[in-house]
Amino acid sequence: MSKRKAFTALVLVIGAGISFLAEAAEHNKLRSPAEVKFEKTKRILLWIGIFIMPYIFAWFTLSKTFTKNNRIIAFGWMLFVIILMLSGKN
């Protein structure tokens, strides 16, 4: 086998491995139960933060891990709170 063929085979194997790891990580196949629990805890704390101070924490929902509905709820709540703050009596 020539060096070029060996290199090509190596690149294909590495590419397939990287593709597998990316796909598995995307579907939570390679996550330990502790990591999953930590993610749930983080998410719960974020939603508590959104409820208490949405003008700060709603922006974190712009990451790829949140759905469009999550963003709509967070930013809708933020707008509602801001409107309440602005329309309050002085």
Side-chain angles (χ1 to χ4, degrees):
M1 183 186 285
S2 71
K3 288 184 180 181
R4 183 173 177 91
K5 286 184 181 179
F7 179 74
T8 303
L10 179 64
V11 168
L12 289 174
V13 168
I14 291 173
I18 291 171
S19 174
F20 169 75
L21 289 174
E23 187 176 325
E26 185 178 332
H27 296 302
N28 294 332
K29 293 179 184 175
L30 297 178
R31 300 179 80 176
S32 70
E35 288 175 322
V36 172
K37 186 175 180 181
F38 177 70
E39 287 294 321
K40 286 182 182 179
T41 304
K42 224 170 46 170
R43 194 170 279 242
I44 289 170
L45 290 174
L46 177 64
W47 282 106
I48 290 171
I50 289 171
F51 180 74
I52 295 170
M53 290 187 290
Y55 37 86
I56 295 173
F57 291 99
W59 298 100
F60 290 104
T61 61
L62 293 176
S63 69
K64 292 181 181 180
T65 58
F66 290 92
T67 65
K68 186 177 181 179
N69 288 338
N70 288 336
R71 292 180 188 128
I72 290 171
I73 291 169
F75 281 95
W77 176 248
M78 181 181 73
L79 287 173
F80 179 73
V81 169
I82 289 173
I83 290 170
L84 281 178
M85 288 171 50
L86 293 176
S87 66
K89 293 182 180 181
N90 293 337

